[in-house]
Amino acid sequence: METPSLTHDTPAIDASGSPPSPPIEHASLPDEWKSHVHPNGLPYSTCDRHRAVTSADVNNLEVLQQVEACINKIKRRMQTRGIDFSGDCEIFVELSNDQPGAVDHLMVDHKKKRTFRIPDQGPPVYGSQYEYWNHFCRTPMHHSLPGDAEDDMLAHISDDRKTTSPLSYEQCEQLISLYETLRTETPEAIGIRAWFVSRVLACIWKARKSYRYGEPDAITTIEPEEEEPRSWTQHFLNIFLYVLCFGTHERYLTQLRHAHTNGGLHVTAFQKFLGGMLQEWADSNLLGTVFISANMAFLAIPVGDSILEAQYSILKLD
């Protein structure tokens, strides 16, 4: 395999689609490093020559030396093993908060939408698309979204029971409304939209991972869990509750069984079940209030004194 070129003429990080948001220039920032600010206010830095990203404070000379030493070590490791670093890839470097001086790395392939690590020994360890999108939303301001990311998000925000979407219908409506608001080509909106789309896709791929999305047995994890055979004791208890509750408990049990699938709890179905319970509770409270108000109004009707006197006179005659 041909050893990848890691010279200074390596293309910039962003090699796709629409332009990313402009970097925020910092007077004290080292040469070749650019500063960006996440929507939550946290800064991070990028270097086009190294094709590197870091959340560390590169204004600190000691920290900068640790970051660049890690980058050079990873590059040498890739050259030795013949790992391709061409295309739309970058290195993410992060300092450990628990162990001073410890540096961790993550390789990010934006073209294939995956992350991977290069251990000291053995082949690269690849991550899932959930891990890719979870990382992307941490550093979204310097890189444009992959070409089909927005279409993928719009295609899968659905409350269909046969999908793995963890979002309810109301949540989907709100997300689509917010997405339409962000569909402008201003530099600020591009970065915010990249963060928004990657955050939604991370949520979707987390649910897909638990439902074994893309695997042959994926459909079985979406189906409701099969009911175990009931014992005679359970049958008698069920008949007793059916008479006592007029069959309401069986309806709730069926809805709960529908929400619990072989892949775990189906969030959307469970949210619908809880919403129905709250609505029934509100209706019963309203009905109870009406009955109490009617009784109070009946008791508050004044009875004339003449009627009481007449009744008392009749009783005395008797």
Side-chain angles (χ1 to χ4, degrees), residues 275-297:
M277 292 282 289
L278 292 174
Q279 185 62 44
E280 290 182 9
W281 188 21
D283 293 342
S284 62
N285 286 342
L286 178 61
L287 188 60
T289 303
V290 170
F291 279 130
I292 292 175
S293 300
N295 290 334
M296 294 297 294

Side-chain angles (χ1 to χ4, degrees), residues 120-132:
D120 295 334
Q121 301 292 333
V125 179
Y126 293 96
S128 62
Q129 278 210 44
Y130 162 68
E131 292 167 331
Y132 168 78

Side-chain angles (χ1 to χ4, degrees), residues 1-6 75 78-85:
M1 181 181 294
E2 183 180 356
T3 303
S5 175
L6 300 171
K75 286 183 176 181
M78 287 190 297
Q79 286 181 333
T80 302
R81 302 184 191 180
I83 298 175
D84 186 16
F85 190 54

